[in-house]
Amino acid sequence: MLSQGFVAAAAIAASVLFILSLGGLSNQEKAKRAVWYGIIGMAVAVFFTAFGPGIGGYWLMIPMIIIGAVIGARLARRVEMTEMPQLVAALHSFVGLAAVFVAWSADLERRRVLAARAADGVMQDFSAFAALVAHKAPDELAFLQVEVVLGIFIGAVTFTGSVIAFGKLAGKVDGKPRQFPGGHWLNAGAAVLSLLLAILYLNGAGFWTLLVLAALAFFIGYHLIMGIGGADMPVVVSMLNSYSGWAAAAIGFTLSNDLLIVTGALVGSSGAILSYIMCKAMNRNFVNVILGGFGGTQGPAAEIEGEQIAIDANGVASALNDADSVIIVPGYGMAVAQAQTAVSDLVRKLRAAGKEVRFAIHPVAGRLPGHMNVLLAEARVPYDIVLEMDEINDDFASTDVVIVIGSNDIVNPAAQEDPNSPIAGMPVLKVWEAKQVFISKRGQGTGYSGIENPLFYKENSRMFYGDARESLTALLPMVD
């Protein structure tokens, strides 16, 4: 059994490693090292927490750790990069549910302690958790009730919200916003009832209040995320990441675990900041998004004129051979087709021919921030030609050819031209200003968000239909 001093020192070390991990993930070149910081920090956290003072039940804990590690390793090997957003959402749900269970357990132990004190009895069958609660003073037990309420509410909202986010990202739940009749009033009513139940519980009501509170919070999480459309799902995943952090912090207070408090606060605050940054990048109101799209645009969308004109590999290759400057815009379709290697091969061939080739990355390209950057790094695309939207958006007007690979909303001119569009005002990559635009796409569908894209009908745009990897592979031999 390790002393409390060792555990405290380990908590500081793990916290520093987590901070270094978060900081390093903002840069492609440092990202791999940052991941190792996070891995080492979590290993330190788990080890020193498991063998800290007052911890027992190893006959159950160690098998559970082994089982969890095996499941995690198998998932990590099986999950494709395209499935990472839904995996992240699923992992958030586990944190939320754990917060609910820990909060329930804490209240049951609190009631046992109070009953024993009232009877002037001494509890002999202390578990580590019960002993933790038993050593709390009366005012600390009162504060524990506040922690329990917060843990249950935040955890339950996180759990069902993350489950629905997983379903939408995985295509198992319709990506369109859907709510019950009454919409936001149902959410508001459930929130008010949750507050009343919390007040009843804090004033001595029974355990039933926590069960009903959890049920209401489960509903709020479900209904909130069901009411958010596919275009806002990247923000939702980031927002749920923040919720899971605050749920973990609430558990940390309940368990008197400093490391869990610090880690939860780091995740919660960084997730909230990222959500705000993403909302700004998408011209979304942060409060509107987290309330389920409240106050969205109204009115009929503008009619689209023209037709989608297809082009074959020969036509695209001819345009590339004549071009001096090329910009590639990757999207989720590139990830689905696993076309990043073919894209990298095309870039090397074009650059060898003396052409200027760059990538334009929208802040929410894919379904998570940095999604495209990671894929391009895996394919060994040079960092210096991968540019963010603000760095390259003004260059499209002087570019000969733009190749869009599986993107929809981030290159949709309706964001700037149609005030009634669901993405009205969202900053987008102005690819239509280039001389020629080729869109690599499987078919004529509207994409994940269900929003029609006028880009596909413009005179300087051509549709390069087919699987992105197969299309680009067929294109390579034709490029000089």
Side-chain angles (χ1 to χ4, degrees), residues 372-426:
M372 295 301 103
N373 302 68
V374 172
L375 289 178
L376 295 176
E378 285 182 349
R380 301 186 183 280
V381 171
Y383 298 129
D384 60 330
I385 66 171
V386 180
L387 305 177
E388 299 296 331
M389 177 177 65
D390 293 340
E391 299 175 292
I392 200 171
N393 222 8
D394 292 335
D395 295 347
F396 284 107
S398 58
T399 299
D400 296 323
V401 172
V402 171
I403 301 179
V404 178
I405 306 175
S407 294
N408 189 53
D409 297 334
I410 64 172
V411 293
N412 192 333
Q416 296 187 358
E417 299 169 358
D418 182 7
N420 293 325
S421 172
I423 59 172
M426 171 179 163

Short mmCIF file of all heavy atoms in Angstrom, two decimals, residues 372-426:
data_model
loop_
_atom_site.label_atom_id
_atom_site.label_comp_id
_atom_site.label_asym_id
_atom_site.label_seq_id
_atom_site.Cartn_x
_atom_site.Cartn_y
_atom_site.Cartn_z
N MET A 372 -8.94 15.68 -40.54
CA MET A 372 -8.21 15.63 -41.82
C MET A 372 -6.71 15.77 -41.62
O MET A 372 -5.92 15.15 -42.32
CB MET A 372 -8.72 16.73 -42.74
CG MET A 372 -10.17 16.59 -43.16
SD MET A 372 -10.52 15.04 -44.03
CE MET A 372 -11.31 14.08 -42.74
N ASN A 373 -6.31 16.59 -40.66
CA ASN A 373 -4.88 16.76 -40.40
C ASN A 373 -4.22 15.44 -40.02
O ASN A 373 -3.10 15.14 -40.45
CB ASN A 373 -4.67 17.78 -39.28
CG ASN A 373 -5.27 19.13 -39.59
OD1 ASN A 373 -6.49 19.25 -39.65
ND2 ASN A 373 -4.44 20.14 -39.79
N VAL A 374 -4.92 14.65 -39.20
CA VAL A 374 -4.38 13.37 -38.78
C VAL A 374 -4.24 12.43 -39.96
O VAL A 374 -3.22 11.74 -40.13
CB VAL A 374 -5.29 12.74 -37.69
CG1 VAL A 374 -4.85 11.32 -37.38
CG2 VAL A 374 -5.26 13.59 -36.43
N LEU A 375 -5.27 12.37 -40.81
CA LEU A 375 -5.21 11.48 -41.98
C LEU A 375 -4.08 11.87 -42.92
O LEU A 375 -3.36 11.01 -43.43
CB LEU A 375 -6.55 11.53 -42.72
CG LEU A 375 -7.74 10.86 -42.03
CD1 LEU A 375 -9.00 11.04 -42.88
CD2 LEU A 375 -7.49 9.39 -41.80
N LEU A 376 -3.92 13.15 -43.15
CA LEU A 376 -2.85 13.60 -44.05
C LEU A 376 -1.47 13.35 -43.44
O LEU A 376 -0.52 13.01 -44.16
CB LEU A 376 -3.02 15.09 -44.36
CG LEU A 376 -4.29 15.45 -45.15
CD1 LEU A 376 -4.39 16.96 -45.33
CD2 LEU A 376 -4.31 14.75 -46.50
N ALA A 377 -1.36 13.48 -42.13
CA ALA A 377 -0.09 13.18 -41.46
C ALA A 377 0.24 11.70 -41.60
O ALA A 377 1.40 11.32 -41.82
CB ALA A 377 -0.16 13.58 -39.99
N GLU A 378 -0.78 10.84 -41.47
CA GLU A 378 -0.57 9.40 -41.65
C GLU A 378 -0.07 9.09 -43.05
O GLU A 378 0.73 8.16 -43.25
CB GLU A 378 -1.89 8.65 -41.41
CG GLU A 378 -2.30 8.54 -39.95
CD GLU A 378 -3.57 7.75 -39.79
OE1 GLU A 378 -4.24 7.47 -40.81
OE2 GLU A 378 -3.92 7.41 -38.64
N ALA A 379 -0.55 9.83 -44.05
CA ALA A 379 -0.15 9.60 -45.44
C ALA A 379 1.14 10.33 -45.79
O ALA A 379 1.54 10.35 -46.96
CB ALA A 379 -1.28 10.06 -46.37
N ARG A 380 1.79 10.95 -44.79
CA ARG A 380 3.08 11.64 -44.96
C ARG A 380 3.00 12.83 -45.93
O ARG A 380 3.92 13.07 -46.72
CB ARG A 380 4.17 10.66 -45.43
CG ARG A 380 4.39 9.52 -44.45
CD ARG A 380 5.56 8.63 -44.86
NE ARG A 380 5.73 7.51 -43.96
CZ ARG A 380 6.32 7.57 -42.77
NH1 ARG A 380 6.79 8.73 -42.34
NH2 ARG A 380 6.44 6.50 -42.01
N VAL A 381 1.92 13.55 -45.86
CA VAL A 381 1.81 14.81 -46.60
C VAL A 381 2.62 15.86 -45.84
O VAL A 381 2.48 15.99 -44.61
CB VAL A 381 0.33 15.25 -46.71
CG1 VAL A 381 0.23 16.66 -47.29
CG2 VAL A 381 -0.44 14.26 -47.57
N PRO A 382 3.48 16.62 -46.51
CA PRO A 382 4.30 17.63 -45.81
C PRO A 382 3.43 18.63 -45.03
O PRO A 382 2.41 19.11 -45.53
CB PRO A 382 5.04 18.33 -46.96
CG PRO A 382 5.06 17.32 -48.06
CD PRO A 382 3.78 16.55 -47.95
N TYR A 383 3.86 18.93 -43.81
CA TYR A 383 3.09 19.84 -42.96
C TYR A 383 2.94 21.23 -43.56
O TYR A 383 1.92 21.89 -43.38
CB TYR A 383 3.76 19.97 -41.58
CG TYR A 383 3.86 18.69 -40.80
CD1 TYR A 383 5.08 18.28 -40.26
CD2 TYR A 383 2.75 17.89 -40.59
CE1 TYR A 383 5.19 17.10 -39.54
CE2 TYR A 383 2.83 16.71 -39.87
CZ TYR A 383 4.06 16.32 -39.34
OH TYR A 383 4.15 15.16 -38.63
N ASP A 384 3.98 21.68 -44.27
CA ASP A 384 3.99 23.08 -44.71
C ASP A 384 3.01 23.38 -45.84
O ASP A 384 2.78 24.55 -46.16
CB ASP A 384 5.40 23.50 -45.13
CG ASP A 384 5.94 22.65 -46.27
OD1 ASP A 384 5.56 21.47 -46.38
OD2 ASP A 384 6.73 23.18 -47.07
N ILE A 385 2.43 22.36 -46.47
CA ILE A 385 1.45 22.63 -47.53
C ILE A 385 0.02 22.39 -47.05
O ILE A 385 -0.92 22.48 -47.84
CB ILE A 385 1.73 21.78 -48.80
CG1 ILE A 385 1.54 20.29 -48.52
CG2 ILE A 385 3.12 22.06 -49.33
CD1 ILE A 385 1.60 19.45 -49.79
N VAL A 386 -0.15 22.09 -45.77
CA VAL A 386 -1.48 21.90 -45.19
C VAL A 386 -1.85 23.18 -44.45
O VAL A 386 -1.28 23.51 -43.42
CB VAL A 386 -1.50 20.70 -44.22
CG1 VAL A 386 -2.89 20.52 -43.61
CG2 VAL A 386 -1.07 19.43 -44.93
N LEU A 387 -2.81 23.93 -45.00
CA LEU A 387 -3.13 25.26 -44.50
C LEU A 387 -4.56 25.32 -43.97
O LEU A 387 -5.47 24.67 -44.50
CB LEU A 387 -2.96 26.30 -45.60
CG LEU A 387 -1.57 26.33 -46.27
CD1 LEU A 387 -1.55 27.34 -47.40
CD2 LEU A 387 -0.48 26.63 -45.25
N GLU A 388 -4.75 26.13 -42.94
CA GLU A 388 -6.08 26.33 -42.38
C GLU A 388 -6.88 27.29 -43.27
O GLU A 388 -6.33 28.00 -44.11
CB GLU A 388 -5.98 26.90 -40.97
CG GLU A 388 -5.25 25.99 -39.99
CD GLU A 388 -5.97 24.67 -39.74
OE1 GLU A 388 -7.22 24.65 -39.85
OE2 GLU A 388 -5.29 23.67 -39.45
N MET A 389 -8.19 27.32 -43.06
CA MET A 389 -9.10 28.10 -43.90
C MET A 389 -8.69 29.57 -43.99
O MET A 389 -8.64 30.15 -45.08
CB MET A 389 -10.53 27.99 -43.36
CG MET A 389 -11.56 28.81 -44.11
SD MET A 389 -13.24 28.59 -43.48
CE MET A 389 -13.05 29.30 -41.84
N ASP A 390 -8.40 30.17 -42.86
CA ASP A 390 -8.07 31.60 -42.85
C ASP A 390 -6.78 31.91 -43.60
O ASP A 390 -6.59 33.02 -44.09
CB ASP A 390 -7.95 32.11 -41.41
CG ASP A 390 -9.29 32.10 -40.69
OD1 ASP A 390 -10.33 32.08 -41.38
OD2 ASP A 390 -9.29 32.10 -39.44
N GLU A 391 -5.90 30.92 -43.71
CA GLU A 391 -4.61 31.13 -44.38
C GLU A 391 -4.72 31.05 -45.89
O GLU A 391 -3.88 31.61 -46.61
CB GLU A 391 -3.59 30.10 -43.90
CG GLU A 391 -3.27 30.13 -42.42
CD GLU A 391 -2.33 29.00 -42.02
OE1 GLU A 391 -2.75 27.83 -42.05
OE2 GLU A 391 -1.18 29.31 -41.67
N ILE A 392 -5.73 30.34 -46.40
CA ILE A 392 -5.76 30.02 -47.83
C ILE A 392 -7.03 30.49 -48.53
O ILE A 392 -7.10 30.49 -49.76
CB ILE A 392 -5.59 28.50 -48.02
CG1 ILE A 392 -5.13 28.17 -49.44
CG2 ILE A 392 -6.88 27.74 -47.66
CD1 ILE A 392 -4.73 26.72 -49.64
N ASN A 393 -8.03 30.93 -47.78
CA ASN A 393 -9.33 31.20 -48.40
C ASN A 393 -9.27 32.29 -49.47
O ASN A 393 -10.03 32.25 -50.44
CB ASN A 393 -10.35 31.59 -47.32
CG ASN A 393 -11.70 30.92 -47.56
OD1 ASN A 393 -11.84 30.07 -48.43
ND2 ASN A 393 -12.69 31.32 -46.79
N ASP A 394 -8.38 33.24 -49.32
CA ASP A 394 -8.30 34.32 -50.31
C ASP A 394 -7.54 33.90 -51.57
O ASP A 394 -7.50 34.67 -52.55
CB ASP A 394 -7.61 35.54 -49.69
CG ASP A 394 -8.46 36.20 -48.61
OD1 ASP A 394 -9.70 36.04 -48.66
OD2 ASP A 394 -7.88 36.84 -47.71
N ASP A 395 -6.95 32.70 -51.56
CA ASP A 395 -6.13 32.26 -52.70
C ASP A 395 -6.92 31.49 -53.75
O ASP A 395 -6.38 31.20 -54.83
CB ASP A 395 -4.98 31.38 -52.21
CG ASP A 395 -4.00 32.15 -51.33
OD1 ASP A 395 -4.08 33.39 -51.31
OD2 ASP A 395 -3.18 31.51 -50.66
N PHE A 396 -8.16 31.13 -53.46
CA PHE A 396 -8.91 30.34 -54.43
C PHE A 396 -9.13 31.09 -55.74
O PHE A 396 -9.12 30.49 -56.82
CB PHE A 396 -10.26 29.92 -53.83
CG PHE A 396 -10.17 28.81 -52.83
CD1 PHE A 396 -10.34 29.05 -51.48
CD2 PHE A 396 -9.90 27.51 -53.24
CE1 PHE A 396 -10.25 28.04 -50.55
CE2 PHE A 396 -9.81 26.48 -52.32
CZ PHE A 396 -9.98 26.74 -50.97
N ALA A 397 -9.33 32.40 -55.65
CA ALA A 397 -9.61 33.18 -56.86
C ALA A 397 -8.45 33.15 -57.86
O ALA A 397 -8.66 33.33 -59.06
CB ALA A 397 -9.93 34.63 -56.47
N SER A 398 -7.24 32.90 -57.38
CA SER A 398 -6.07 32.85 -58.28
C SER A 398 -5.57 31.42 -58.49
O SER A 398 -4.44 31.22 -58.92
CB SER A 398 -4.94 33.71 -57.70
OG SER A 398 -4.59 33.27 -56.40
N THR A 399 -6.41 30.44 -58.20
CA THR A 399 -6.04 29.03 -58.31
C THR A 399 -6.64 28.42 -59.58
O THR A 399 -7.80 28.68 -59.91
CB THR A 399 -6.52 28.24 -57.08
OG1 THR A 399 -5.90 28.79 -55.91
CG2 THR A 399 -6.17 26.77 -57.19
N ASP A 400 -5.85 27.60 -60.26
CA ASP A 400 -6.32 26.98 -61.51
C ASP A 400 -7.31 25.86 -61.26
O ASP A 400 -8.36 25.79 -61.90
CB ASP A 400 -5.12 26.46 -62.30
CG ASP A 400 -4.18 27.57 -62.76
OD1 ASP A 400 -4.70 28.65 -63.10
OD2 ASP A 400 -2.96 27.36 -62.74
N VAL A 401 -6.96 24.93 -60.36
CA VAL A 401 -7.80 23.75 -60.14
C VAL A 401 -7.96 23.50 -58.65
O VAL A 401 -7.00 23.55 -57.88
CB VAL A 401 -7.19 22.50 -60.81
CG1 VAL A 401 -7.98 21.24 -60.41
CG2 VAL A 401 -7.19 22.64 -62.32
N VAL A 402 -9.20 23.21 -58.26
CA VAL A 402 -9.49 22.77 -56.90
C VAL A 402 -10.11 21.38 -56.98
O VAL A 402 -11.01 21.14 -57.80
CB VAL A 402 -10.47 23.72 -56.18
CG1 VAL A 402 -10.94 23.11 -54.87
CG2 VAL A 402 -9.82 25.06 -55.92
N ILE A 403 -9.59 20.47 -56.18
CA ILE A 403 -10.18 19.13 -56.09
C ILE A 403 -10.80 18.97 -54.71
O ILE A 403 -10.10 19.05 -53.69
CB ILE A 403 -9.13 18.03 -56.32
CG1 ILE A 403 -8.48 18.20 -57.70
CG2 ILE A 403 -9.76 16.65 -56.20
CD1 ILE A 403 -7.40 17.17 -57.99
N VAL A 404 -12.10 18.79 -54.67
CA VAL A 404 -12.83 18.59 -53.42
C VAL A 404 -13.10 17.10 -53.27
O VAL A 404 -13.69 16.48 -54.15
CB VAL A 404 -14.17 19.37 -53.43
CG1 VAL A 404 -14.94 19.11 -52.14
CG2 VAL A 404 -13.93 20.86 -53.61
N ILE A 405 -12.65 16.54 -52.15
CA ILE A 405 -12.78 15.09 -51.96
C ILE A 405 -13.72 14.81 -50.79
O ILE A 405 -13.34 14.88 -49.62
CB ILE A 405 -11.40 14.45 -51.70
CG1 ILE A 405 -10.43 14.82 -52.82
CG2 ILE A 405 -11.53 12.92 -51.60
CD1 ILE A 405 -9.03 14.34 -52.60
N GLY A 406 -14.96 14.53 -51.13
CA GLY A 406 -15.93 14.10 -50.12
C GLY A 406 -16.32 15.16 -49.12
O GLY A 406 -16.54 14.85 -47.95
N SER A 407 -16.43 16.41 -49.53
CA SER A 407 -16.86 17.49 -48.64
C SER A 407 -18.20 18.03 -49.12
O SER A 407 -18.50 18.00 -50.31
CB SER A 407 -15.85 18.63 -48.61
OG SER A 407 -14.64 18.22 -48.03
N ASN A 408 -18.99 18.54 -48.18
CA ASN A 408 -20.26 19.15 -48.57
C ASN A 408 -20.45 20.52 -47.92
O ASN A 408 -20.30 21.54 -48.54
CB ASN A 408 -21.42 18.21 -48.22
CG ASN A 408 -22.74 18.70 -48.81
OD1 ASN A 408 -22.82 18.94 -50.00
ND2 ASN A 408 -23.75 18.86 -47.98
N ASP A 409 -20.73 20.53 -46.62
CA ASP A 409 -21.07 21.78 -45.96
C ASP A 409 -19.93 22.79 -45.97
O ASP A 409 -20.16 24.00 -46.09
CB ASP A 409 -21.48 21.52 -44.50
CG ASP A 409 -22.73 20.66 -44.42
OD1 ASP A 409 -23.52 20.70 -45.37
OD2 ASP A 409 -22.90 19.95 -43.42
N ILE A 410 -18.68 22.33 -45.84
CA ILE A 410 -17.56 23.27 -45.70
C ILE A 410 -17.20 23.95 -47.01
O ILE A 410 -16.39 24.87 -47.02
CB ILE A 410 -16.32 22.57 -45.11
CG1 ILE A 410 -15.79 21.50 -46.07
CG2 ILE A 410 -16.62 21.99 -43.74
CD1 ILE A 410 -14.47 20.92 -45.65
N VAL A 411 -17.81 23.53 -48.14
CA VAL A 411 -17.58 24.19 -49.43
C VAL A 411 -18.90 24.63 -50.04
O VAL A 411 -19.00 24.82 -51.25
CB VAL A 411 -16.82 23.26 -50.41
CG1 VAL A 411 -15.41 22.99 -49.93
CG2 VAL A 411 -17.58 21.94 -50.60
N ASN A 412 -19.91 24.81 -49.22
CA ASN A 412 -21.26 25.11 -49.71
C ASN A 412 -21.46 26.63 -49.79
O ASN A 412 -21.52 27.31 -48.76
CB ASN A 412 -22.29 24.49 -48.76
CG ASN A 412 -23.69 24.50 -49.36
OD1 ASN A 412 -24.02 25.33 -50.18
ND2 ASN A 412 -24.50 23.56 -48.92
N PRO A 413 -21.61 27.19 -51.01
CA PRO A 413 -21.80 28.64 -51.14
C PRO A 413 -23.11 29.14 -50.56
O PRO A 413 -23.27 30.34 -50.33
CB PRO A 413 -21.74 28.87 -52.66
CG PRO A 413 -22.05 27.55 -53.27
CD PRO A 413 -21.53 26.52 -52.32
N ALA A 414 -24.07 28.22 -50.30
CA ALA A 414 -25.34 28.64 -49.69
C ALA A 414 -25.11 29.28 -48.33
O ALA A 414 -25.92 30.10 -47.88
CB ALA A 414 -26.27 27.44 -49.55
N ALA A 415 -24.01 28.94 -47.67
CA ALA A 415 -23.70 29.54 -46.37
C ALA A 415 -23.55 31.05 -46.48
O ALA A 415 -23.83 31.78 -45.52
CB ALA A 415 -22.42 28.92 -45.80
N GLN A 416 -23.11 31.53 -47.66
CA GLN A 416 -22.93 32.96 -47.86
C GLN A 416 -24.02 33.59 -48.72
O GLN A 416 -24.26 34.79 -48.63
CB GLN A 416 -21.57 33.22 -48.52
CG GLN A 416 -20.39 32.82 -47.66
CD GLN A 416 -19.06 33.24 -48.26
OE1 GLN A 416 -19.00 33.80 -49.35
NE2 GLN A 416 -17.97 32.96 -47.55
N GLU A 417 -24.70 32.76 -49.52
CA GLU A 417 -25.64 33.31 -50.50
C GLU A 417 -27.10 33.14 -50.13
O GLU A 417 -27.96 33.84 -50.68
CB GLU A 417 -25.38 32.64 -51.86
CG GLU A 417 -23.97 32.89 -52.40
CD GLU A 417 -23.65 32.02 -53.60
OE1 GLU A 417 -24.52 31.19 -54.00
OE2 GLU A 417 -22.53 32.16 -54.16
N ASP A 418 -27.43 32.21 -49.23
CA ASP A 418 -28.82 31.93 -48.90
C ASP A 418 -29.06 32.14 -47.41
O ASP A 418 -28.68 31.30 -46.58
CB ASP A 418 -29.17 30.48 -49.29
CG ASP A 418 -30.62 30.13 -49.01
OD1 ASP A 418 -31.39 31.04 -48.65
OD2 ASP A 418 -30.98 28.95 -49.16
N PRO A 419 -29.71 33.24 -47.02
CA PRO A 419 -29.94 33.49 -45.58
C PRO A 419 -30.87 32.50 -44.92
O PRO A 419 -30.92 32.42 -43.69
CB PRO A 419 -30.56 34.91 -45.59
CG PRO A 419 -31.14 35.07 -46.95
CD PRO A 419 -30.24 34.31 -47.88
N ASN A 420 -31.61 31.72 -45.71
CA ASN A 420 -32.52 30.72 -45.14
C ASN A 420 -31.90 29.33 -45.04
O ASN A 420 -32.54 28.39 -44.58
CB ASN A 420 -33.80 30.63 -45.98
CG ASN A 420 -34.64 31.88 -45.90
OD1 ASN A 420 -34.71 32.52 -44.85
ND2 ASN A 420 -35.26 32.26 -47.01
N SER A 421 -30.66 29.21 -45.49
CA SER A 421 -29.99 27.91 -45.41
C SER A 421 -29.70 27.56 -43.94
O SER A 421 -29.41 28.44 -43.13
CB SER A 421 -28.67 27.94 -46.18
OG SER A 421 -27.92 26.76 -45.95
N PRO A 422 -29.78 26.27 -43.58
CA PRO A 422 -29.45 25.85 -42.20
C PRO A 422 -28.02 26.21 -41.80
O PRO A 422 -27.71 26.27 -40.62
CB PRO A 422 -29.66 24.33 -42.24
CG PRO A 422 -30.62 24.10 -43.35
CD PRO A 422 -30.29 25.14 -44.37
N ILE A 423 -27.15 26.43 -42.80
CA ILE A 423 -25.76 26.79 -42.47
C ILE A 423 -25.47 28.25 -42.81
O ILE A 423 -24.31 28.63 -42.98
CB ILE A 423 -24.75 25.86 -43.18
CG1 ILE A 423 -24.92 25.95 -44.70
CG2 ILE A 423 -24.89 24.43 -42.69
CD1 ILE A 423 -23.83 25.22 -45.46
N ALA A 424 -26.50 29.06 -42.91
CA ALA A 424 -26.32 30.47 -43.27
C ALA A 424 -25.34 31.16 -42.33
O ALA A 424 -25.44 31.04 -41.11
CB ALA A 424 -27.67 31.19 -43.25
N GLY A 425 -24.38 31.88 -42.90
CA GLY A 425 -23.40 32.61 -42.12
C GLY A 425 -22.18 31.80 -41.71
O GLY A 425 -21.21 32.36 -41.20
N MET A 426 -22.21 30.52 -41.95
CA MET A 426 -21.07 29.67 -41.58
C MET A 426 -19.88 29.97 -42.50
O MET A 426 -20.03 29.97 -43.72
CB MET A 426 -21.46 28.20 -41.70
CG MET A 426 -20.30 27.22 -41.56
SD MET A 426 -20.89 25.51 -41.68
CE MET A 426 -19.34 24.65 -42.00
#
